[in-house]
Amino acid sequence: MIGLYNVSAGYGKAEVIHDMTFEIKENGVYVILGKNGAGKTTTLRVIAGILPVIKGRVIRKGSVGYLSHSFALPNEMTVREALNFFSKVLGGDPDRVIEEFKLSELLDKKIADLSQGQKKRVAIAKLFLKDHEVYLFDEPTENLDPVIASEIRSMITSLSKHKTVIYTSHNLYEARDIGNYVILIDNGRLALYKPISEIKTKEYVVGIRASEDLSKVLDGHYQGEYFIVTLNDPSEVNNIVLELTKRNVKIFEIKEMKNPLEDLLK
């Protein structure tokens, strides 16, 4: 159980979130959604107990695992050494997460030599070494290949059947893909908290960069290097990823070309 009651918090004298109140009582994925700078990370840090509140109170029951923007990995160690080290400190089986996150090819590489996406995979694997009741993810698929990102979301969805997952994103597609509930934050205030099934948008426009000419596969048009597709619902993006993967098309990037959060905030 997680509860925030009239919570305000920030850094120094600068208040970032204001009078925030919500409760989470059931397992599932709760997506904290908002534009950059809305207060998503601050809210997550309050829930994790890392950031003290200025006023209000926080209730958390059960152990909490937190994946922050900071990878918190020792740059001088290899991936193998780092996972073995954290397993001794935190517990857990490093071989299990190595297999789950497909890290075998990275084991003898130093953390410092990894790409941002590879570091993210190792950081997520570190989080999964230990079993928690509540998992906090701060934009875990940022800088990841879309296919790997989809795999991470599938794993988190599976995890949420028995755990509480709180997941920050500025991407409505991600919220649709994995979320049970949306907690929408606007300028540090709670703007909306409801089941994802009740979230409606007028249209959803995405741009896709890929290894092949997508006009032969999808309905849409090119705008610079992005192939533009207009969808009725963000959940349709996952079908596109599956179709392109089936055709062996490598996806470099999928991005929102219009911000659908504007519709939710009206």
Side-chain angles (χ1 to χ4, degrees):
M1 187 270 190
I2 298 292
L4 273 65
Y5 305 95
N6 301 114
V7 167
S8 296
Y11 308 92
K13 295 182 179 179
E15 194 174 289
V16 176
I17 60 173
H18 321 285
D19 296 309
M20 193 170 292
T21 298
F22 63 83
E23 291 182 328
I24 294 174
K25 294 183 177 181
E26 299 177 351
N27 289 336
V29 179
Y30 296 76
V31 181
I32 299 180
L33 199 61
K35 301 176 185 177
N36 289 333
K40 303 186 298 296
T41 295
T42 300
T43 303
L44 218 59
R45 287 174 177 168
V46 166
I47 294 171
I50 295 170
L51 187 66
V53 302
I54 295 172
K55 68 173 184 178
R57 64 191 179 99
V58 179
I59 292 177
R60 64 182 73 83
K61 296 180 180 179
S63 65
V64 177
Y66 176 45
L67 179 73
S68 69
H69 274 304
S70 170
F71 299 122
L73 297 169
N75 283 328
E76 71 281 1
M77 287 187 180
T78 65
V79 171
R80 188 194 310 274
E81 290 169 342
L83 290 176
N84 285 336
F85 168 76
F86 285 114
S87 70
K88 291 176 183 176
V89 174
L90 304 174
D93 179 7
D95 292 331
R96 177 180 58 82
V97 296
I98 287 167
E99 181 178 352
E100 285 184 4
F101 291 92
K102 300 178 175 62
L103 298 174
S104 296
E105 76 280 7
L106 302 179
L107 288 178
D108 295 320
K109 291 187 177 182
K110 284 193 172 184
I111 300 294
D113 296 330
L114 301 180
S115 68
Q116 292 294 98
Q118 289 169 336
K119 288 179 182 178
K120 180 66 67 71
R121 284 165 59 196
V122 176
I124 295 174
K126 181 189 77 171
L127 177 65
F128 276 87
L129 278 169
K130 187 175 180 181
D131 189 48
H132 298 281
E133 283 74 43
V134 179
Y135 287 87
L136 309 178
F137 295 93
D138 200 353
E139 299 191 351
T141 60
E142 188 178 29
N143 297 320
L144 290 183
D145 174 279
V147 175
I148 295 175
S150 181
E151 291 174 357
I152 296 295
R153 286 193 292 269
S154 294
M155 187 173 296
I156 289 172
T157 301
S158 178
L159 175 73
S160 69
K161 294 175 183 177
H162 311 288
K163 306 290 182 180
T164 296
V165 174
I166 306 174
Y167 184 115
T168 69
S169 179
H170 57 268
N171 188 320
L172 186 58
Y173 155 57
E174 281 203 319
R176 284 281 198 200
D177 194 28
I178 70 166
N180 302 109
Y181 290 85
V182 161
I183 300 170
L184 180 61
I185 298 177
D186 184 34
N187 292 319
R189 297 186 183 278
L190 182 65
L192 179 150
Y193 181 14
K194 62 171 56 178
I196 191 70
S197 59
E198 297 179 14
I199 301 296
K200 307 297 180 185
T201 54
K202 295 177 181 177
E203 64 177 14
Y204 189 70
V205 182
V206 297
I208 306 170
R209 289 196 305 114
S211 60
E212 296 184 21
D213 182 356
L214 297 183
S215 63
K216 299 176 181 178
V217 182
L218 303 171
D219 292 328
H221 64 276
Y222 271 99
Q223 180 179 307
E225 61 182 338
Y226 290 97
F227 188 76
I228 308 302
V229 182
T230 300
L231 306 173
N232 295 320
D233 190 273
S235 62
E236 295 176 24
V237 175
N238 201 44
N239 295 331
I240 292 175
V241 172
L242 292 174
E243 178 62 26
L244 295 180
T245 302
K246 189 188 304 181
R247 293 171 178 262
N248 294 318
V249 176
K250 183 168 179 58
I251 305 169
F252 300 130
E253 183 184 7
I254 298 176
K255 65 181 288 188
E256 294 169 337
M257 304 304 286
K258 289 175 59 180
N259 191 344
L261 297 184
E262 298 292 348
D263 289 341
L264 299 184
L265 294 171
K266 287 179 182 177

